Amino acid sequence: MKNKIKIIYRSLIVICVLMLLTGWYLGYSNTMPYIDKNSVTITQVESGDFSIKVEGYGTLQSLNKRLLTATSNALVDEIKLKPGAIVNEDTIIMTLKNPSLEADLRQALAKLQNSKTQKRQTLLHQQREVLNNESTLSELEAQE
């Protein structure tokens, strides 16, 4: 009986060691990429503008968000000047965009147009009433 227990323990230890070695091989064997020395170009670092053009759907968001004080919440739509540029009092540095304010503006313009239309209808209605009253007055004067 003791021999069977020893054999079972030894086989479990061997299985555990094999599982650890297999896991290590599968997990860490391909993690070190190797690059051929002839395929690498080594040059001196230069400073200057670095532009990346990205095409896609949706809105790009920066990882480095900065707090800007403004009277309302907005998104930076366009940056007109780069850091270090000379600016004056009336220089536009960036344009902000606020979709909710734009929607409010569209609604206010629609209400204004509606009010102008109602005013015009009221004036036309009053003119029609004046003309009707004048024609009624003329008919009454003609009957006398």
Side-chain angles (χ1 to χ4, degrees), residues 57-114:
Y57 298 105
T59 303
L60 294 176
Q61 294 183 353
S62 174
L63 292 175
N64 304 323
K65 294 187 179 184
R66 295 184 181 134
L67 179 64
L68 298 174
T69 56
T71 57
S72 62
N73 293 331
L75 299 172
V76 175
D77 188 36
E78 179 183 6
I79 297 175
K80 304 241 182 214
L81 296 176
K82 304 272 181 183
I86 299 173
V87 296
N88 295 328
E89 301 160 351
D90 59 344
T91 304
I92 297 174
I93 299 172
M94 68 180 72
T95 56
L96 301 175
K97 184 177 183 180
N98 187 338
S100 64
L101 279 180
E102 289 177 0
D104 292 344
L105 175 65
R106 283 192 297 273
Q107 286 179 349
L109 289 174
K111 284 181 182 178
L112 175 65
Q113 186 64 33
N114 191 15

Side-chain angles (χ1 to χ4, degrees), residues 3-67:
N3 287 338
K4 281 187 174 182
I5 293 175
K6 284 184 182 182
I7 292 173
I8 290 174
Y9 280 131
R10 285 182 183 170
S11 62
L12 285 176
I13 290 172
V14 169
I15 290 173
C16 288
V17 169
L18 285 175
M19 287 177 62
L20 285 173
L21 289 175
T22 305
W24 176 81
Y25 178 74
L26 292 176
Y28 292 107
S29 64
N30 294 329
T31 59
M32 296 292 290
Y34 294 100
I35 300 173
D36 186 28
K37 184 179 179 181
N38 297 329
S39 68
V40 176
T41 304
I42 299 174
T43 61
Q44 187 174 9
V45 176
E46 299 175 5
S47 65
D49 290 339
F50 180 72
S51 63
I52 298 175
K53 191 172 190 177
V54 178
E55 294 182 12
Y57 298 105
T59 303
L60 294 176
Q61 294 183 353
S62 174
L63 292 175
N64 304 323
K65 294 187 179 184
R66 295 184 181 134
L67 179 64

Side-chain angles (χ1 to χ4, degrees), residues 130-144:
V130 168
L131 289 175
N132 285 340
N133 288 340
E134 286 177 357
S135 69
T136 305
L137 180 63
S138 296
E139 285 178 12
L140 291 174
E141 287 177 351
Q143 287 177 358
E144 290 181 1

